[in-house]
Amino acid sequence: MVVEVKTTNRPDEWKIEQGLSGAVLPVLDMTGPETKALPPQVFGELIKDEEALKSVGDRDKLFYRERKGWKGFVEWENYPDKKAAAHKILTSQTWPPNPEYQMAEIPGTLPVLPGTYWKMWHHAVGGELDSVPEDSWDLVLKEKHPDMLHLLQFPYNGEPPKRLVTDKVITPNPLHFVRNHGGIPIIDKEDYSFTLDGLVKNPRTFTLDDLMDESVFPRVEKTVTIQCSGTRRIEQILKYPGQGDEVPQAPWAEGAIGTATYVGVSLKKVIKACGGMIEDGAHLELYGAETYFKDSKAMNYLVSIPYDKVKANEVLLAWDMNGEPLPRIHGYPLRVVVLGYIGARSVKWLYRIKAIPHPTRAPVQSQEYLYFPQQVGKHNFRLTDGIQIQEMPVSSAIMTPWTKQVVVHAGAIRCKGWAYSGGGRWPERVELSADGGFNWYTVPLGQLSAKRKWCWRTWEFELPCDVEGWVEVVVRCWDNALNTQPPDVRTAWNWGLHVTSSCHRISVYSVNKNKEATRKRLGEFEERGIPFAPVTVPLAFPSMGWDEYEEFWKQNDPRDAKE
Ligand SMILES: Nc1nc2c(c(=O)[nH]1)N[C@H]1C(S)=C(S)[C@@H](COP(=O)(O)O)O[C@H]1N2
Ligand SMILES: [Mo]
């Protein structure tokens, strides 16, 4: 029954006042003698300038397939006119706002977020891009495990559920997380090649067969953990919302990390085959074939890495992932794998490498993946305030149990998880605490997976826990350089919501069957056939008999002190 209440409050007033719907809260302006309430932005109706849109011309002719056998590939970087045409399309109409997933509850749907306006941009630009959102989703269904958690439908972002994240030390391909900034180009191997140009002596094009010629390029096989710098972002979001663009700031849990054995060649050797770097060439721009949108502009996915990293043989061009050709969703036919750097630098669907003097100014490098200090946010940030993230710091996470879970145990909580450190460092010690991080137990080395440069270690541990009720289970890792993790999310919170490497903390309701009272109570639940959880449901039977109660007061009377 809906009751009518006479009030000047909005019906959701209480929710708003409690900060549960923060996006609609007015801003309080306290600069003058009296506090003023400034309403937040309201998005108006969507507008469309049909004339301007028509004047752009035939989309199929403008935004054509760049190369035969490369479905979904529109090249932007060499064509300023094409870029201008797409910009006109994107600015001659308005788009729905980002869904509010930080100041409001995250939807309980699968996919969690649809990526509506990214789909709209692809369809609006049209031409070769028109079918990209649908083609990409088809590939997700074909190549990924049915139990993947689809965080964002398009551009596709998905992670395995916790129980499967650390199930195996080498992540099976269908379960490896996927982080896309656009569609999945569908490239025929026979038509594949990439170009290496810019500040190299002899610019050249390479086919896959060129790279596979072992008389020129020694084959390299490496087992590598790729971690997205957005891993565990949800902890930052739940603490304090930050920049909220659903693609750059996808709300990842702990699964945006995966480990695979890649086969390919060292980029160093490929540059050597071009006669080496010349002049002031010091960075390599890496171009991905799909279309990315930023600030109403269309472009290709583009980042850069320093040549020093390449020189150290720490950058691979890989075609094989866990003994099979790269799945399309992971970059088929060729991707970059940058050892120990954030995933963003490991470019998929590589079509060009260009040697340049400084890090690329392209937005994924210079506007995103920035690590801001805490005083910086929407009110003041400048791009130069952020550190361009490269190596990931040491981090770890608990995959079992889950936060808010009730655990019945016999003095120890069975925990499972992962630990990782970037830059070629590796986890040396993993520690767990059942008291919020005061006392720590070390996971015995035999319960950590093998030590390997560039790789995570999975672990299992029976964490001693005597106390009952809510406990805070915490994990932290020490790497071989004795780096460890910040104690809590607040310490390392940042506006871009990157690099959540603070100690992973989960709240667990501990029920210790070694305690006599608990054993008795659980027995009673069993006899009555009542499940124990959820803990919030009030006890359905008396906690003690009245005889017992009277007996207690006989022994312990009076309730109040006399003198
Ligand atoms: N071409 C291209 N390469 C890309 C991306 C992308 O969107 N396009 N995403 C990057 C990011 S941010 C990450 S974390 C990794 C993820 O690799 P995976 O999808 O194979 O797990 O790919 C990187 N390479
Ligand atoms: Mo990433």
Side-chain angles (χ1 to χ4, degrees), residues 45 55 112 120-121 176 195 211 221 223 231 240 253 262 276 322 337 348 366 391 524:
E45 260 178 61
S55 75
V112 181
M120 291 176 93
W121 289 341
H176 196 283
T195 304
L211 294 188
E221 180 179 305
T223 302
T231 319
Y240 309 115
Y262 297 93
N322 290 332
V337 177
K348 305 189 272 190
S366 59
E391 294 179 357
E524 223 171 325

Side-chain angles (χ1 to χ4, degrees), residues 176-182 226-229 262 287-290 301 321 329-331 335 342-350 369:
H176 196 283
F177 82 99
V178 178
R179 165 95 173 119
N180 288 344
H181 289 73
I226 293 184
Q227 186 185 29
C228 181
S229 65
Y262 297 93
Y287 292 64
E290 87 280 34
Y301 183 87
M321 181 179 185
I329 207 166
H330 291 291
R335 81 174 297 170
I342 57 168
R345 311 295 176 232
S346 292
V347 171
K348 305 189 272 190
W349 315 292
L350 182 73
Y369 297 96

